[in-house]
Each structure stands twice: as structure tokens, then as C-alpha cells.
């Protein structure tokens, strides 16, 4: 322990709190990216995003019970949610394209209720117990104090996923089509690319990311039908703060929100929930389109 | 002569008898219609963070209704439960309660789960002079300003619960105490109860942190608490908040130096939280393993198991049962459904429904009852529901309640 302190808190504690914030942010980033991606490309505000997060966790935990492999769940949960996302886009969302932002919003809002209620009926209200896999349990001494191993894994894993996603979008030709589609879908169509297939793929990808975030969050908080509700609010904040449709913005904003939560809980614990929204208000005052957002994303 | 007279009498008599026989069902029917079923309004948070507990309350309450009806009801009148979802929201609860009273014409109210909601129900019920038996923990409901003659409190109150747990834990586990509490009445009242109980053992409060109710992550509070290395960490929160905060406190390795304590250690939370709960100590109004020593608990569990596929009742579920039962026993004892008479009967009720002796204290209508101290375990379970060890019982005793004067009741 050292004696340096800021605002009455030892430096060690502040550093540890920062790491906690980054780990919190890692989940926000994963949920936020999916939401932002879907919105940025197709102007669909996916209100069912939290429900995909929750169902992903259930799928993962259910499979973990069957196979005993957390790693398999980590693959299966996003895969299942991706497939479900594809089906939802094809059958439910697609007929609503061109009808403004409200219709898909209401549809996904209703869908989230159906998903939550179905899980309640299938798995009950109590929720399922779920802890980190044995190989990721325990805490590690970071030199500044003990920190849970699982949360370190969470940071590393999320960074890897985000890195892979960045490479996919910035360095592949399909990524190029996605970016182009977000700018001007009509021109992309004219160039002979079926934009509807791109939309389908991106909606699936966004839902897969929500499912992945769900199974990653499961060991931290257990699995309940309502676990997606607070997450949805946080994901929206991340999307708005980062800028609608911006991948880098979602990463930056996710981490920022995590750190703000962690630091607020140190000085004013009862204000943590409010701090997220205060941050959002502040960012919107200074930069109405978010930190890294395109101009007129909502226009 | 005499035979003739007799025959006439006989004819007259049988005519009267047959007329009566024909009229009797109609008379009985009209008597029943006059009363109709005895209606008990039951507002509980079926949806929301305490949904699991609330649904168990309904199941157990239905059992009390069923028992009452199978035993013939009261003067031919059956009981009926009118369940309403209060959505864990005081405004919603007030609305539903008013509807139950004005539109559904309920005779009695039982229910509530959350300190603020139970007070809201009580306010409406008290103004309209309808008996309300609360099955949610609250200290305020016992105090003179919120109390009305029609107010009853079947649940433990935070003062009793935290008191019993504190008296058990502090002498054994140490004096340096940290609190992580949900920032609403329940959390505040629990902390106050612990502090009061801790005076005797001279505890030192090293941290008193309030978190917003329904926070999804508690990790940000934990490094600071871990750095203080308290002997005891009291997690004064409820339902899902309790599950997540205990899970995360375990994850952050707090159990190395610190005893985790939850004033109300919920059966449903423990089931949802799994082995992260190992070693956590807490208080409860009821745990099904009480059946090993208490015959009425065995009888209650057996009936519950028979009705619900072998499931055992949870703590708050049992309160749903007892809350309804107290009112219905009150009706039987009073020989009436009139509010005043039932109040008097309930005040005098000395019962053993499911957990040993219980009775209402006259001044504030708080149920004087035992508090169980339980410890969570996950090894060597007899059945998947065998999740607690009963460490001790603080018997029913008015000494563990705040005094009538302190609550503002005039003698």
C-alpha cells in the first residue's frame, strides 16, 4: 500500500476502481456496438436488444448445463441469437422498411415483451444460478489489490471481439459494403449489390453481439428474465454518447460510461444511476450528434 | 272424534312441513346471497424485481383459502382471493387497492411486498376502514402516524429482523461492520436495526454505502469495501439486488476476510444465486426445514407439497398463507365479517399456523413471532431445496420490538 491519495482515496483504490470501470465498460461496449450497428445501417432502433442479451444468456447457461463447457456456450449463444436475429429481420422487420423509424421501434418493443414472457413461461421467474467457469474463478493480485479473474478475462475477450469486428468492417470487402450502405443504400443498390442481404446480415450480427454480451454477463449477475431491461437503457446511452452508428464511438462511450459509473460510486454511491444520464446530457449539450457520430444521423 | 282431530292436525302439520321443505333452499340461497363470498383483496408485485416472491405468496395464500373453504367456510360463506398486480409501484398499488375496495367490495386486504408499497396500500385501506394485514417488512407501518386500528402487520419488521441477526452475528464475527444497502425505506430501516443491535457489542461502522434499488452491477462498490477489510458486511437489500450483490461480493473475494450477512436471507434468492451464497448468514421468518422440530410447519409443508407438485413454500410465500389465515381465523373467532369485531378478534388471536406460537401486539398490531437465523450451504443437500442450516431461533418476545411509547402510541 502506498500513501499517495487523491480526494481522500488512496491511489491503489482509485486504480482498482478504474479497472472495475473498464470491466463494466466492456459489457456496455458489446451491447452498445450491436445496437449502434443496426441503427447506423438501417435506421432501426432495436428495442429488443436487451431481450436478445437475456435470451443469449439463457441459451448459454442451458447449454453449459448440458455440455459442461463454458467455451462452447460462448460460441453457441451468439450463434443462436444471430440466427434468431436473421429470422426476426426476414419475417418481422423487413416488411416495415421505408415506413419511418417508429414502426420498427414499436415492433421490436413488442417483440421484447414476447421474448421476456416466453422465457418466464419456459424457465420460471426465479432465474437460474450461474457462476464463472472453474478455470476463471478466483481473484488475481494486480499489485494494487485483488481483482476477479473473470472480469480480467472479460476485458481481454471483449477487446479481441471488438478488434476482430473492426478488421471485418474496415478491412474486408463486405465491411466496405456495410460502410457504403450506411452512407447511401440507393447507390449501393445501383452498383448491383442487394442491400437487403446486407441488412439481414447486419441485423443478425448485431443480435449475435447482444447474445454474446448476455452470456459474458451471466456469471456476473446470474440469469433472470428481466436482466435485459437495465442493459437496454445503458446500451442506448452508449449509442447516443458515442454517436449513432459509430463503431469507435460505441467503444469509447462504453468504456467512458463504465468508468463514470465506477468513479461515481466511489464518491457518491447513491448517484450512480443518475450519473450515466448526466453524462449523456452533458455530451449532447456539447456535441449533439455524440462523440464520434455522423452529422444528421437522425435526420 | 279424537281420531278425526288427529288426522286434521296431521294433515295440517305435514302441509306446513312440506311448505317449509320447499321454501328452505330458497331461504338458504337468499341468506347466502346477502353475504356472498368473503372477498380478500391481494395486491402483490407479480411482475418486477420481486416477482418470484410475489408469485409464491399467491400460491400459499390460495392454500389458506382452500383450507378455509374445505372446512365449510363461515356460515356457509366461502372465501375468495382477488389477486392484483401492484407492479412494485406505490401509485399502482394505491390504484389497485382503491379498486378492490370500491369496485370489488372486498371485505379484507392482505398483501404488499416492499416497504413503500405496503404503506401506500395501508393508507388507502386505513382511510376507508378496511382491515389490511401487511405481509411485507416495514418499521414505519408500526409507528403511530401510519398506523390505524385496521392496520395489521403479519411480517417481521426490519427492527426485529436486523436485531435478531445482529445479536447473533456481531458477538461471533467481529466489531468492524460495513453496510451496503438499497437506498429506500427497507434498506434504511435494516441499517438502523443493525446499528441498534450492535450498540450492545460496541460495533464500529467502517462504511455505510447506499446503492440505487435495482442496480444491475455492484462491482464498483466492492473494491472500496474490500480495502477496508471489515469483519462483517451487511447487505441490506432484497430480491434480485441481493442475488447479484452477494454473487459479486463473492467474486471480489470479500469472503476471505469478511462475513457476509443479509438481514433477510431469502429462499428464492438463495435458489437463484446458487453456491455464491455459501456461508452467508441471515434472518428469515420461515424456512421449510422448521418441519424437523415444529409440527405445524410439517403440516403446512405437507399441504403445500400436495397442492404444488412437491414444492416447498418460501419464506414470503408462508407469509402469504399466514396473512390470509389470520384474517379468516379472525372472522371465525368474531363470528362476523364486520370490521370492528374482526379487529378485536385478531387482537386476541393466539395461534400456531405454521411456525410456532404467534400473536398480535395490541398497540401496533405487530405480529410477535420467532425470527430464524439461517446459514446458506450448497454441500451435502438432502434435496435441492435443502439450502439453509438453521443456526438459531429468537423466540417470540415483545422485548425485541420497539416499545409502544417509542412508536408514538398512547397507552
Amino acid at each position: 500500500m502506498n500513501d499517495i491519495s487523491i480526494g481522500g482515496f488512496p491511489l491503489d483504490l482509485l486504480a482498482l476502481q478504474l479497472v472495475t470501470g473498464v470491466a463494466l465498460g466492456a459489457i456496455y461496449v458489446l451491447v452498445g456496438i450491436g445496437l449502434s450497428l443496426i441503427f447506423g445501417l438501417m435506421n432501426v432502433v432495436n428495442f429488443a436488444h436487451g431481450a436478445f442479451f437475456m435470451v443469449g444468456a439463457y441459451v448459454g447457461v442451458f447449454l453449459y448445463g448440458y455440455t459442461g463447457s463454458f467455451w462452447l456456450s460462448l460460441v453457441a449463444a451468439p450463434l443462436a441469437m444471430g440466427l434468431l436475429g436473421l429470422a426476426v429481420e426476414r419475417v418481422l422487420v423487413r416488411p416495415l422498411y421505408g415506413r419511418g423509424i417508429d414502426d420498427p421501434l414499436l415492433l421490436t418493443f413488442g417483440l421484447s415483451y414476447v421474448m421476456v414472457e416466453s422465457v418466464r413461461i419456459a424457465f420460471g421467474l426465479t432465474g437460474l444460478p450461474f457462476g464463472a467457469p472453474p478455470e476463471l474463478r478466483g481473484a488475481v493480485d494486480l499489485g494494487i489489490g485483488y481483482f476477479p479473474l473473470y472480469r480480467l478475462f472479460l476485458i481481454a475477450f471483449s477487446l479481441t471481439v471488438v478488434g476482430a469486428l473492426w478488421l471485418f468492417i474496415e478491412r474486408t470487402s463486405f465491411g466496405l459494403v456495410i460502410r457504403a450502405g450506411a452512407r447511401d443504400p440507393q447507390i449501393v443498390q445501383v452498383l448491383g449489390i442487394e442491400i437487403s442481404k446486407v441488412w439481414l446480415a447486419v441485423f443478425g450480427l448485431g443480435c449475435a453481439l447482444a447474445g454474446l454480451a448476455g452470456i459474458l454477463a451471466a456469471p456476473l449477475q446470474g440469469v433472470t428474465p428481466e436482466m435485459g431491461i437495465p442493459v437496454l437503457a445503458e446500451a442506448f446511452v452508449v449509442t447516443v454518447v458515442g454517436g449513432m452508428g459509430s463503431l469507435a464511438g460505441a467503444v469509447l462511450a462504453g468504456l467512458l460510461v463504465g468508468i463514470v459509473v465506477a468513479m461515481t460510486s466511489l464518491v457518491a454511491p447513491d448517484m450512480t444511476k443518475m450519473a450515466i444520464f448526466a453524462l449523456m446530457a452533458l455530451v449532447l449539450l456539447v456535441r449533439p450528434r455524440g462523440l464520434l457520430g455522423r452529422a444528421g444521423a437522425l435526420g | 272424534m279424537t281420531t278425526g282431530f288427529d288426522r286434521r292436525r296431521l294433515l295440517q302439520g305435514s302441509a306446513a312441513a312440506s311448505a317449509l321443505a320447499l321454501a328452505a333452499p330458497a331461504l338458504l340461497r337468499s341468506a347466502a346471497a346477502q353475504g356472498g363470498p368473503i372477498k380478500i383483496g391481494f395486491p402483490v408485485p407479480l411482475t418486477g424485481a420481486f416477482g418470484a416472491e410475489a408469485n409464491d405468496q399467491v400460491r400459499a395464500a390460495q392454500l389458506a383459502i382452500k383450507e378455509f373453504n374445505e372446512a365449510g367456510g363461515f356460515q356457509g360463506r366461502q372465501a375468495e382471493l382477488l389477486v392484483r398486480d401492484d407492479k412494485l409501484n406505490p401509485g399502482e398499488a394505491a390504484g389497485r387497492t382503491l379498486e378492490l375496495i370500491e369496485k370489488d367490495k372486498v371485505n379484507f386486504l392482505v398483501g404488499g411486498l416492499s416497504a413503500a408499497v405496503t404503506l401506500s396500500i395501508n393508507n388507502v385501506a386505513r382511510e376507508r376502514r378496511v382491515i389490511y394485514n401487511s405481509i411485507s417488512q416495514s418499521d414505519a407501518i408500526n409507528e403511530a402516524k401510519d398506523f390505524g386500528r385496521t392496520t395489521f402487520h403479519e411480517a417481521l419488521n426490519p427492527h426485529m429482523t436486523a436485531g435478531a441477526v445482529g445479536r447473533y452475528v456481531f458477538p461471533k464475527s467481529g466489531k468492524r461492520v460495513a453496510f451496503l444497502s438499497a437506498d429506500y425505506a427497507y434498506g434504511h430501516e435494516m441499517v438502523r436495526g443493525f446499528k441498534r443491535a450492535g450498540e450492545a457489542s460496541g460495533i464500529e461502522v467502517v462504511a455505510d454505502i447506499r446503492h440505487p434499488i435495482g442496480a444491475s452491477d455492484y462491482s464498483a462498490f466492492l473494491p472500496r469495501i474490500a480495502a477496508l477489510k471489515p469483519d462483517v458486511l451487511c447487505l441490506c437489500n432484497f430480491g434480485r439486488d441481493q442475488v447479484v450483490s452477494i454473487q459479486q461480493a463473492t467474486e471480489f473475494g470479500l469472503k476471505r476476510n469478511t462475513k457476509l450477512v443479509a438481514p433477510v436471507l431469502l429462499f428464492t434468492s438463495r435458489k437463484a444465486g446458487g453456491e455464491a451464497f455459501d456461508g452467508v448468514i441471515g434472518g428469515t421468518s420461515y424456512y421449510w426445514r422448521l418441519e424437523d422440530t415444529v409440527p405445524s410447519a410439517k403440516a403446512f409443508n405437507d399441504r403445500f407439497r400436495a397442492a404444488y407438485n412437491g414444492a416447498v413454500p418460501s419464506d414470503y410465500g408462508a407469509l402469504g398463507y399466514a396473512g390470509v389465515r389470520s384474517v379468516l381465523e379472525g372472522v371465525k373467532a368474531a363470528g362476523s365479517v364486520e370490521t370492528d369485531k374482526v379487529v378485536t378478534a385478531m387482537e386476541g388471536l393466539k395461534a400456531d399456523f405454521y411456525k410456532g406460537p404467534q400473536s398480535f401486539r395490541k398497540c401496533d398490531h405487530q405480529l410477535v413471532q420467532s425470527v430464524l437465523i439461517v446459514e446458506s450451504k450448497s454441500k451435502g443437500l438432502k434435496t435441492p431445496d435443502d439450502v439453509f442450516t438453521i443456526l438459531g431461533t429468537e423466540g417470540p418476545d415483545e422485548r425485541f420490538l420497539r416499545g409502544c411509547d417509542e412508536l408514538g402510541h398512547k397507552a
Side-chain angles (χ1 to χ4, degrees):
Chain A
M1 289 280 166
N2 57 39
D3 301 329
I4 312 162
S5 70
I6 300 170
F9 297 106
L11 211 55
D12 285 1
L13 180 58
L14 287 172
L16 202 58
Q17 203 73 23
L18 191 71
V19 184
T20 309
V22 172
L24 269 177
I27 291 278
Y28 295 152
V29 168
L30 283 183
V31 206
I33 286 181
L35 198 65
S36 191
L37 212 55
I38 292 172
F39 180 81
L41 189 68
M42 6 197 218
N43 258 19
V44 169
V45 181
N46 182 18
F47 253 89
H49 210 68
F52 277 99
F53 172 87
M54 178 272 295
V55 176
Y58 268 92
V59 169
V61 170
F62 193 70
L63 268 170
Y64 184 67
Y66 252 94
T67 62
S69 163
F70 181 69
W71 310 105
L72 200 69
S73 304
L74 224 45
V75 178
L79 206 62
M81 285 313 96
L83 290 174
L84 186 61
L86 292 181
V88 165
E89 199 276 349
R90 186 70 192 77
V91 181
L92 298 173
V93 181
R94 188 171 294 184
L96 300 179
Y97 287 140
R99 292 174 56 175
I101 205 167
D102 313 349
D103 286 9
L105 188 148
L106 287 173
L107 173 100
T108 49
F109 187 63
L111 178 67
S112 73
Y113 271 84
V114 173
M115 288 167 79
V116 170
E117 219 41 63
S118 311
V119 167
R120 281 187 184 146
I121 292 166
F123 295 96
L125 293 158
T126 315
L128 306 175
F130 190 62
E135 59 268 37
L136 292 177
R137 274 185 208 166
V140 195
D141 192 356
L142 294 181
I144 46 173
Y146 281 91
F147 196 76
L149 180 60
Y150 183 79
R151 283 182 195 253
L152 290 177
F153 159 78
L154 190 65
I155 297 173
F157 191 84
S158 306
L159 281 179
T160 313
V161 170
V162 168
L165 205 62
W166 184 82
L167 284 177
F168 172 70
I169 289 178
E170 295 290 325
R171 292 280 184 271
T172 65
S173 52
F174 191 77
L176 187 68
V177 174
I178 292 179
R179 279 180 293 143
R183 289 273 163 86
D184 197 334
Q186 268 162 327
I187 291 293
V188 173
Q189 190 88 332
V190 166
L191 288 172
I193 296 160
E194 251 190 90
I195 193 77
S196 63
K197 281 195 178 153
V198 180
W199 287 348
L200 180 71
V202 168
F203 198 88
L205 179 65
C207 294
L209 284 169
L212 179 66
I215 182 65
L216 281 171
L220 305 179
Q221 47 174 264
V223 181
T224 61
E226 291 83 16
M227 67 188 286
I229 296 166
V231 169
L232 185 67
E234 285 148 4
F236 272 119
V237 172
V238 168
T239 310
V240 171
V241 168
M244 297 280 203
S246 164
L247 185 68
V251 176
L252 186 66
L255 293 177
L256 192 62
V257 168
I259 291 167
V260 164
V261 166
M263 289 306 163
T264 312
S265 57
L266 203 55
V267 280
D270 43 348
M271 297 285 187
T272 36
K273 238 180 183 173
M274 218 177 70
I276 302 181
F277 296 99
L279 172 74
M280 181 168 78
L282 202 69
V283 169
L284 285 180
L285 277 178
V286 183
R287 286 183 70 91
R289 57 200 164 89
L291 293 176
L292 299 175
R294 293 177 285 124
L298 279 166
Chain B
M1 224 19 219
T2 48
T3 47
F5 180 70
D6 276 355
R7 197 167 58 210
R8 197 178 299 151
R9 282 286 297 270
L10 189 73
L11 281 169
Q12 276 173 341
S14 57
S18 51
L20 192 70
L22 281 171
L27 280 173
L28 281 177
R29 262 201 307 275
S30 84
Q34 214 173 14
I38 299 172
K39 291 183 188 170
I40 300 181
F42 201 72
V44 282
L46 295 174
T47 50
F50 306 160
E53 289 76 24
N55 280 274
D56 213 44
Q57 290 184 318
V58 173
R59 295 203 297 173
Q62 294 287 14
L63 196 65
I65 298 278
K66 193 166 149 245
E67 271 177 35
F68 178 80
N69 290 342
E70 280 171 5
F74 168 70
Q75 292 177 356
R77 295 176 68 176
Q78 302 268 293
E80 190 189 330
L81 197 70
L82 283 74
V83 180
R84 296 291 182 269
D85 186 2
D86 67 32
K87 298 186 178 155
L88 200 57
N89 175 321
E92 182 82 20
R96 293 285 88 81
T97 306
L98 200 58
E99 256 174 43
L100 282 166
I101 296 172
E102 301 286 346
K103 194 167 131 272
D104 300 308
K105 310 275 183 219
V106 292
N107 300 88
F108 308 105
L109 287 157
V110 180
L113 187 57
S114 158
V117 174
T118 204
L119 288 179
S120 163
I121 299 172
N122 184 48
N123 268 333
V124 177
R126 188 180 56 165
E127 271 172 25
R128 283 164 181 76
R129 297 197 33 79
V130 176
I131 291 178
Y132 169 48
N133 193 9
S134 163
I135 50 175
S136 164
Q137 294 222 7
S138 164
D139 271 344
I141 204 166
N142 294 129
E143 290 163 14
K145 72 174 168 49
D146 271 291
F147 176 79
R149 189 166 177 258
T150 52
T151 307
F152 285 83
H153 195 233
E154 181 85 31
L156 297 172
N157 62 40
H159 183 82
M160 296 162 74
T161 314
V165 176
R167 280 186 286 275
Y168 182 89
V169 166
F170 296 143
K172 285 190 177 61
S173 301
K175 289 185 169 54
R176 289 167 46 79
V177 180
F179 292 98
L180 181 61
S181 328
D183 197 5
Y184 72 122
Y186 171 91
H188 304 166
E189 290 176 354
M190 285 296 178
V191 171
R192 186 178 62 185
F194 273 120
K195 284 180 178 168
R196 179 86 77 89
E199 280 167 14
S201 27
I203 61 162
E204 175 201 350
V205 178
V206 296
D208 188 355
I209 298 173
R210 308 276 159 93
H211 67 73
I213 181 170
S216 54
D217 203 293
Y218 299 82
S219 60
F221 306 112
L222 296 169
R224 183 178 170 193
I225 296 173
L228 292 166
K229 292 190 170 59
D231 299 320
V232 176
L233 169 62
C234 297
L235 296 139
C236 302
N237 47 22
F238 191 88
R240 207 152 287 158
D241 290 5
Q242 186 180 74
V243 177
V244 180
S245 58
I246 287 181
Q247 212 155 15
Q248 297 186 349
T250 305
E251 189 201 348
F252 270 79
L254 259 85
K255 283 179 185 166
R256 265 195 301 268
N257 302 310
T258 305
K259 190 78 192 162
L260 298 193
V261 169
V264 178
L265 190 49
L266 289 159
F267 181 71
T268 39
S269 292
R270 159 62 187 82
K271 296 273 282 182
E275 56 185 82
F277 274 62
D278 279 9
V280 177
I281 290 184
T284 184
S285 58
Y286 185 74
Y287 172 52
W288 68 276
R289 283 291 300 272
L290 207 55
E291 69 182 19
D292 298 345
T293 50
V294 178
S296 59
K298 175 89 173 80
F300 169 54
N301 291 341
D302 285 344
R303 284 193 300 270
F304 195 92
R305 278 188 276 244
Y308 300 111
N309 292 322
V312 290
S314 68
D315 29 40
Y316 274 80
L319 280 171
Y321 170 83
V324 169
R325 180 112 188 245
S326 284
V327 172
L328 290 173
E329 296 288 338
V331 168
K332 282 196 222 163
S336 166
V337 292
E338 269 175 59
T339 301
D340 273 334
K341 289 180 182 159
V342 178
V343 167
T344 312
M346 282 174 76
E347 283 176 341
L349 219 55
K350 299 256 181 290
D352 175 4
F353 295 148
Y354 72 115
K355 62 176 284 194
Q358 61 175 66
S359 59
F360 288 103
R361 176 164 74 168
K362 188 124 191 298
C363 74
D364 64 349
H365 293 173
Q366 168 60 42
L367 191 76
V368 185
Q369 59 187 309
S370 58
V371 185
L372 309 182
I373 310 295
V374 292
E375 181 169 23
S376 183
K377 59 178 178 178
S378 69
K379 290 181 183 63
L381 310 186
K382 277 183 167 176
T383 76
D385 290 323
D386 180 25
V387 292
F388 295 136
T389 309
I390 300 180
L391 298 176
T393 306
E394 197 167 78
D397 191 332
E398 275 198 38
R399 276 185 304 140
F400 302 133
L401 274 57
R402 288 184 296 165
C404 292
D405 304 345
E406 188 187 341
L407 298 173
H409 299 284
K410 292 185 188 77

